[in-house]
């Protein structure tokens, strides 16, 4: 308890920054905190959406269909052009990585899906553009609503949360349209299997954390597990972007169950044991750096003065990012860390540059990203040890 009290000042500073971010965005955990009470509007009444539709269908008229909760589009001659099904607000509670992923389903005069128009959202641009290049959003084209509702579309590895949100929203919106909400939902066996594998990886990481000496000889296996399962298979990473999105949009405890478990362990274990869990036992990029460091035993020795300065860089980096976000600067936070390189189909160039550059440095230096740059690691270090008090007996490595 004394250890936690010593950490209280920096924890309060961190919480204050999170509160400022929430105030800046106008919401916490997907709940509006505006002083004036917002009235929930359907998408057909939303002025921003109407402006978007008017730009997309110039010189057309729009009429709401109460029976199907849709929008009928007609040309100047009054001829039917399309029927539009808006995912919001019907699917408002379905969340991707960065919150709701709103879209419009366009039905043509043959009552088949012509296209899916994605509306502005908070998902990582790389994920969205990657899914567009794969043709994911065209998966339902040419199908009637009933056929699309029964079509099995798998979530895309690397952008699982975004693609899952679109699939679930598509299913729910079409269910409402076809009045078949009672339809039996099929079990996503692929996602179920992935979650099972991830849970085993979490268990392995937790056992390694609890009994590090006994599992020291198979430490390499833990690294491979983290890289393969957390990195490439599940694409589950704790990052500044994850915490930002969680503060603003909340977290779906079902869809993101495994990530929630890792997050809970990563926050509570350092807080009560003063030992790092995520950085040393669950981070895929940390494991990749660790294995890269095995290539050569000779490491560069930094001057003591430079080492002391570099140790503060992650905290400065973390608070610069938080201040920029709290100030309303629009950043793609995933681009400021190398984790997205594991989702190589969706990663920005900056993620590859950081991942590759620090991986090369890791051959000659001990985990340079983890020790001298990682803002996520800095966040966990704030929970692990007092920064403002010199009390070594409360700090364990």
């Amino acid at each position: 308890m004394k250890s936690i009290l010593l950490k209280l000042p920096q924890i309060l500073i961190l919480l204050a920054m999170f509160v400022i971010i929430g105030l800046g965005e106008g919401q916490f955990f997907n709940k509006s905190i505006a002083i004036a009470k917002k009235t929930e509007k359907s998408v057909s009444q939303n002025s921003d959406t109407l402006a978007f539709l008017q730009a997309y269908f110039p010189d057309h008229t729009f009429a709401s269909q109460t029976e199907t909760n849709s929008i009928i589009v007609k040309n100047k001659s009054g001829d039917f052009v399309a029927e539009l099904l808006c995912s919001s607000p019907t699917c408002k509670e379905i969340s991707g990585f960065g919150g709701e992923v709103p879209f419009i389903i366009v039905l043509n005069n043959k009552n088949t899906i012509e296209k899916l128009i994605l509306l502005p959202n908070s998902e990582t641009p790389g994920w969205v553009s990657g899914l567009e290049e794969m043709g994911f959003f065209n998966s339902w084209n040419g199908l009637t609503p009933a056929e699309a509702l029964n079509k099995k579309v798998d979530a895309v590895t690397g952008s699982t949360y975004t693609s899952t949100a679109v699939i679930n929203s598509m299913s729910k919106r079409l269910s409402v349209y076809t009045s078949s909400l009672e339809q039996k939902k099929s079990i996503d066996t692929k996602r179920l299997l992935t979650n099972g594998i991830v849970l085993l990886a979490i268990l392995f990481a937790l056992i390694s954390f609890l009994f590090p000496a006994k599992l020291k000889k198979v430490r390499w296996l833990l690294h491979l597990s983290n890289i393969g399962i957390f990195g490439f298979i599940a694409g589950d990473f704790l990052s500044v972007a994850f915490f930002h999105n969680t503060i603003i949009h909340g977290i779906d405890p079902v869809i993101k169950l495994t990530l929630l478990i890792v997050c809970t362990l990563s926050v509570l274990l350092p807080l009560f044991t003063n030992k790092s869990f995520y950085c040393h036992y669950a981070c895929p990029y940390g494991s990749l750096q660790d294995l890269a460091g095995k290539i050569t035993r000779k490491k560069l020795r930094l001057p003591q003065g430079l080492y002391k300065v570099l140790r503060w860089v992650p905290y400065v980096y973390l608070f610069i990012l938080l201040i920029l976000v709290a100030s309303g600067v629009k950043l793609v936070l995933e681009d400021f860390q190398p984790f997205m390189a594991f989702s190589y189909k969706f990663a920005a160039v900056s993620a590859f540059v950081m991942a590759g550059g620090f991986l090369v440095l890791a051959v000659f230096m001990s985990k340079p990203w983890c020790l001298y740059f990682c803002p996520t690691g800095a966040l966990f270090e704030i929970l692990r040890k007092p920064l403002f008090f010199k009390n070594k007996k409360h700090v364990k490595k």
Side-chain angles (χ1 to χ4, degrees), residues 285-347:
Y285 191 68
S287 288
L288 198 58
Q289 282 195 107
D290 212 307
L291 290 182
K294 305 295 183 188
I295 294 176
T296 175
R297 291 185 178 182
K298 282 188 105 176
K299 304 296 178 190
L300 294 174
R301 293 181 65 86
L302 298 176
Q304 190 65 20
L306 179 60
Y307 171 79
K308 288 181 178 179
V309 171
L310 289 177
R311 288 293 285 174
W312 282 96
V313 171
Y315 302 102
V316 175
Y317 191 18
L318 170 65
F319 280 98
I320 286 175
L321 290 177
L322 293 179
I323 289 168
L324 288 174
V325 171
S327 302
V329 178
K330 296 299 180 184
L331 300 175
V332 181
L333 289 171
E334 287 89 343
D335 295 347
F336 291 84
Q337 294 187 265
F339 309 129
M340 276 292 290
F342 287 102
S343 302
Y344 54 90
K345 295 177 183 176
F346 310 97

Side-chain angles (χ1 to χ4, degrees), residues 177-348:
Y177 180 73
T178 58
S179 302
S180 57
L181 279 171
E182 294 78 23
Q183 175 183 283
K184 185 178 178 182
K185 293 182 179 179
S186 61
I187 297 173
D188 189 342
T189 52
K190 182 180 177 182
R191 185 63 186 170
L192 199 62
L193 181 61
T194 300
N195 282 347
I197 294 172
V198 174
L199 285 172
L200 289 176
I202 294 172
L203 182 60
F204 186 21
L206 181 59
I207 293 172
S208 299
F209 173 83
L210 296 173
F211 308 102
K214 292 183 179 180
L215 295 177
K216 188 176 181 179
K217 290 184 178 180
V218 292
R219 178 83 175 172
W220 60 273
L221 188 58
L222 175 68
H223 292 320
L224 291 180
S225 171
N226 292 339
I227 295 167
I229 297 174
F230 290 135
F232 289 108
I233 294 177
D236 281 346
F237 321 107
L238 295 185
S239 63
V240 176
F242 165 78
F243 287 106
H244 172 262
N245 286 334
T246 300
I247 291 165
I248 304 304
H249 303 291
I251 185 169
D252 188 320
V254 176
I255 298 296
K256 300 178 183 176
L257 174 63
T258 54
L259 200 54
L260 184 60
I261 292 172
V262 173
C263 180
T264 302
L265 291 172
S266 301
V267 170
L268 294 182
L269 289 175
L271 197 59
F272 289 99
T273 68
N274 299 324
K275 295 194 296 183
S276 175
F277 171 71
Y278 184 74
C279 298
H280 294 302
Y281 295 94
C283 177
Y285 191 68
S287 288
L288 198 58
Q289 282 195 107
D290 212 307
L291 290 182
K294 305 295 183 188
I295 294 176
T296 175
R297 291 185 178 182
K298 282 188 105 176
K299 304 296 178 190
L300 294 174
R301 293 181 65 86
L302 298 176
Q304 190 65 20
L306 179 60
Y307 171 79
K308 288 181 178 179
V309 171
L310 289 177
R311 288 293 285 174
W312 282 96
V313 171
Y315 302 102
V316 175
Y317 191 18
L318 170 65
F319 280 98
I320 286 175
L321 290 177
L322 293 179
I323 289 168
L324 288 174
V325 171
S327 302
V329 178
K330 296 299 180 184
L331 300 175
V332 181
L333 289 171
E334 287 89 343
D335 295 347
F336 291 84
Q337 294 187 265
F339 309 129
M340 276 292 290
F342 287 102
S343 302
Y344 54 90
K345 295 177 183 176
F346 310 97

